[in-house]
Amino acid sequence: MATVLPPPSKRQRTAIAEKAREQQEIDSIPEGLGNVRVHFINQSTGEPTGAPVSLPVTNTTVKNLELLLNTLQGNDAEERVPYRFTFSTKDQILDISNDIYRALLKPGLKTTEDTISLYYTPQAVFRVRAVSRCASSILGHGEAILATSFSAASSSRMVTGSGDSTARVWDCDTGTPLHTLKGHTSWVLVASWSPDDKVIATGSMDNTIRVWDPQTGQALGSAMKGHAKWVNSLAWEPFFLRKEGGSCRLASASKDTTVRIWDIVSKRTDMVFSGHKSSVSCVRWGGTGNIYTASQDKTIKIWSSEKGTLIQTLSAHAHWVNYLALSTDFVLRTAYHDHTGTVPPTDAEKTAKARSRFEKAATVNGRIRERLVTASDDCTMYLWEPSSQSNQPLARLLGHQKGVNHVTFSPSSGSGGGGEGQYIASAGFDNHVKLWNARDGTFVATLKGHVGPVYMTCFSSDGRLLVSCSKDTTLKVWDVRTGKLKEDLPGHRDEVYAVDWSPDGRMVGSGGKDKAVRIWRH
């Protein structure tokens, strides 16, 4: 019989805690390094904010720099804006992720004799409050809910796709069903609003795509047929890339290994991309005109939406690629709709606003850079920058112990500040959500709390909060900055498959195996 060791005594526990604290202190900033002069410069205008300020090196953490900058700008405690700080060299831009000592002084890039110019960008100029209660639980679907999506214009309408062969449009303000979209003959796997809020597209296991009028709930013409197997993913053409007088186009990815580009008015296929050797799991239509596809053949392919030709094949994963996300997803989804709620009166102004929001979100160092992150069953993710024309990934994101189900960028601050999304969130079958730095792919934090596989995550529109849904029947809202659990949202009676946070930040919608749609509010 094996000897069972007794639990550690209080003295042993104290010694272990003391040792752990000493190990942490090794990473802290050493004392006695003196002061360093810091000059704050606005990244978007290039204008300095105040004169250079002398700070003790031990106090140069990002939190303290933020506090100082808000004080220099005269912001009250309630009006404090979170900032991102960067330092420019001739070759690269360095993110100040922890403090100036680790980023600049320790590597020898700067000394305490120098004046350090820090460029700052606001993370968001508005704040989304964490949802904390279930405002309505709406029955109606006869089978599990597999997809959910809010309207780009407001949080008052949401569409869900279900295993009962229907999609439904809901009025989220009153918690009532508006329309039932009937026409499919099998599970509705994906549902998506167009960026201009005028059309809903649904893809089904019956191999067809249908488009609907969200105002009346009527089908706009017949089903779009062409795929030989079911439809996995849909992506709308960015609003500002539409040709004048031309109709809106839609990309669909299917189990039959092809991707099709549809004209939704004529219901005809414009192009067919057939290069993958297995099921195409995800498609995205980028703001630069490229179409990105991920497949179970372990590759990611980049296509030209103009010529219909293959531009690049990215191979690095060792197993199925489950999902891909773009750093500009949020601004492409919302087009000209922003947090102010003002809609330009003319089509030309709408196009100009959508284009400027995209350019603001995608511009880094004066160049438009659309980044791509892919998640796979090989437990890894890769960060890519297709604009560099390199077939090599920027970073390999390691840490999940099981397959990675879903991945997403935090909204680019084109919706509020500047620069690309700051974080990447990944959800895995290892019950964990992980956060990564979107610039270089470095690990930030593991969000622990779920006790079952995590199916999906979604950021709030200001990028400060993250909601995740899981097999454990709960939703959880996380504070991205601290990595701590903000709200635990039990309520569903079974697995939660789909979640979406409305672009205006007011509501979260979720659905799953219990067939009920739940709307969550603050």
Side-chain angles (χ1 to χ4, degrees), residues 282 284 323-329 371-375 407-409:
C282 194
R284 283 285 183 276
Y323 205 81
L324 66 85
L326 294 176
S327 57
T328 51
D329 272 344
R371 291 222 169 147
L372 177 71
V373 66
T374 54
V407 67
T408 179
F409 278 89

Side-chain angles (χ1 to χ4, degrees), residues 62 84-87 93-99 103-104 123 422 437-440:
V62 169
R84 180 182 192 173
F85 297 99
T86 54
F87 174 77
I93 289 190
L94 293 170
D95 211 3
I96 311 296
S97 52
N98 295 311
D99 51 65
L104 303 177
Q123 291 306 327
Q422 187 184 5
N437 187 315
R439 182 164 289 193
D440 54 14

Side-chain angles (χ1 to χ4, degrees), residues 26 51 105 220 298 341 343 355 367 403:
I26 293 169
L105 300 180
L220 297 171
K298 311 177 195 173
V343 175
R355 187 182 295 279
R367 281 178 54 218

